[in-house]
Amino acid sequence: MNTSLDIRFFALQRVHLAQYNQRGMESNQKIVRDNKATCLIVLGMAGSGKTTFVQKLSEHLYENDTPGYLINLDPACLDMPYPANIDIRDTVNYKKVMKDYGLGPNGAIITSLNLYTTKFDQVVTLIEQRSSEHDHFILDTPGQIEVFNWSASGMIITETLASQMPTVIVYVMDTVRNRNPATFMSNMLYACSILYKSKLPLIVVFNKIDLQSHQYLLEWMTDFEKFLEALESEQDYVSGLTRSLSLVLDAFYSELKAVGVSSVSGIGMDTFLEAVEGAHLEYLDIYLKERETMNRATKDVAIGLSNMTLKDGAIPEDENEDQEDESDAVDFST
């Protein structure tokens, strides 16, 4: 990506960070509390089954006469197994972003999300218009989990949604792949990081339980001795680190909601929806109050950033930049 685009997007990020903070402070908290809908942001490693999970969840909700509102945020998805109400691919051309800015697949996905986020207020407007018609707004995200773990675009998306309605993070894990204790610990560290960065209720979904029961994972979370037994065969550096980290995450496990589902058979979907209801109430009772306090503390900063102006020449223009190609890569007219 060229320097001009880097600096322009950085400026846009600063302005949009101020906008969602300002919007959150100005939003009517009574409306948020009275909003019965729940926004579900589905995250997880590549191959964990996020998209299949969203498909099965949407089918389950439809069968119960409570269809969800589906939003696809994966610009590189080739085959969409469910009808998305909002699709990032209608706005951002992932392949053209990769070509025009000289990026690899992962960089193009992150950049596509960054560009899409600059107009995410339009998505929020559509969600607000449908909030009385749907109980669940479900966002399917790309496997590049770093978008929501450290990228500013992930923060903008979560903060903007959380300022308008109760929002819950759904972290999907592959039950089969997590038979290795070190892999399990890595996944839980990601979940812990997302929880404390987003400051939103978190539900861990152990997917693919039709292939492997998730009970052993629940035992590892509640019984430290069971986890140590699984580590006995490992005597390398990683096993020692994993033992230490498991003690650190003990408090995290005690408050964590975890359910097992099968995105093929639909087993566990009712249990998952019960966990969502609990997380909805948790958001209203705990997280909303914390967000109100946080918004008051950042009010001056948000106002200052909203009034930020750039001096002439602060953003260099690339003489060789093809404006037509850039407009083709990102189209916000749809």
Side-chain angles (χ1 to χ4, degrees), residues 79-112:
D79 298 316
M80 184 64 60
Y82 56 82
N85 299 94
I86 300 176
D87 196 333
I88 187 175
R89 298 176 302 170
D90 296 333
T91 302
V92 180
N93 188 326
Y94 159 75
K95 290 186 177 180
K96 194 157 185 61
V97 168
M98 183 166 54
K99 177 182 177 181
D100 291 352
Y101 302 132
L103 300 171
N106 290 347
I109 289 175
I110 294 175
T111 301
S112 296

Side-chain angles (χ1 to χ4, degrees), residues 74-330:
D74 187 353
C77 182
L78 296 178
D79 298 316
M80 184 64 60
Y82 56 82
N85 299 94
I86 300 176
D87 196 333
I88 187 175
R89 298 176 302 170
D90 296 333
T91 302
V92 180
N93 188 326
Y94 159 75
K95 290 186 177 180
K96 194 157 185 61
V97 168
M98 183 166 54
K99 177 182 177 181
D100 291 352
Y101 302 132
L103 300 171
N106 290 347
I109 289 175
I110 294 175
T111 301
S112 296
L113 261 295
N114 288 343
L115 293 169
Y116 193 68
T117 303
T118 62
K119 296 294 183 180
F120 197 71
D121 57 306
Q122 297 178 17
V123 176
V124 175
T125 299
L126 291 173
I127 291 176
E128 289 175 343
Q129 294 172 352
R130 301 289 188 272
S131 60
S132 60
E133 304 172 13
H134 300 272
D135 292 335
H136 301 91
F137 291 82
I138 308 167
L139 282 75
D140 188 10
T141 63
Q144 283 65 24
I145 198 171
E146 55 268 25
V147 171
F148 286 85
N149 212 26
W150 57 261
S151 174
S153 58
M155 182 187 299
I156 292 173
I157 291 173
T158 55
E159 290 290 331
T160 304
L161 293 171
S163 69
Q164 302 304 310
M165 66 172 59
T167 303
V168 178
I169 303 294
V170 179
Y171 187 75
V172 180
M173 292 173 55
D174 186 333
T175 304
V176 178
R177 291 184 179 179
N178 281 275
R179 286 180 293 188
N180 184 297
T183 303
F184 170 74
M185 184 56 59
S186 298
N187 259 299
M188 298 312 292
L189 282 174
Y190 263 111
C192 183
S193 174
I194 291 170
L195 171 66
Y196 289 109
K197 186 173 181 62
S198 66
K199 296 180 176 62
L200 292 171
L202 174 74
I203 301 175
V204 172
V205 173
F206 295 121
N207 196 14
K208 306 181 183 180
I209 63 172
D210 53 309
L211 301 177
Q212 171 75 56
S213 173
H214 68 296
Q215 292 302 318
Y216 73 100
L217 296 177
L218 296 178
E219 291 179 356
W220 286 358
M221 294 170 58
T222 56
D223 190 338
F224 181 66
E225 296 299 327
K226 291 283 187 181
F227 187 70
L228 288 182
E229 290 178 8
L231 280 172
E232 284 183 355
S233 60
E234 304 287 342
Q235 299 297 329
D236 55 8
Y237 168 76
V238 175
S239 64
L241 177 62
T242 302
R243 288 187 182 89
S244 301
L245 291 175
S246 63
L247 291 173
V248 175
L249 292 179
D250 186 57
F252 170 65
Y253 291 154
S254 63
E255 301 295 333
L256 186 64
K257 294 182 177 65
V259 299
V261 304
S262 168
S263 296
V264 175
S265 65
I267 297 174
M269 285 298 173
D270 288 329
T271 303
F272 169 74
L273 291 176
E274 291 175 1
V276 169
E277 292 179 5
H280 180 108
L281 297 176
E282 183 181 349
Y283 173 91
L284 297 177
D285 294 340
I286 300 175
Y287 289 88
L288 184 58
K289 295 178 182 178
E290 292 181 355
R291 302 185 72 80
E292 291 172 356
T293 302
M294 183 172 57
N295 283 336
R296 286 194 296 267
T298 59
K299 180 178 180 180
D300 293 338
V301 177
I303 293 175
L305 284 175
S306 296
N307 297 329
M308 181 183 67
T309 57
L310 297 175
K311 295 181 179 180
D312 293 339
I315 300 179
E317 294 295 337
D318 190 341
E319 295 180 357
N320 298 321
E321 186 174 1
D322 188 340
Q323 295 296 334
E324 290 186 2
D325 285 350
E326 183 171 340
S327 63
D328 288 341
V330 185

Side-chain angles (χ1 to χ4, degrees), residues 30-46:
K30 184 177 184 301
I31 294 178
V32 177
R33 291 185 179 279
D34 291 344
N35 196 331
K36 296 181 179 180
T38 304
C39 183
L40 304 176
I41 303 178
V42 182
L43 306 178
M45 297 288 189

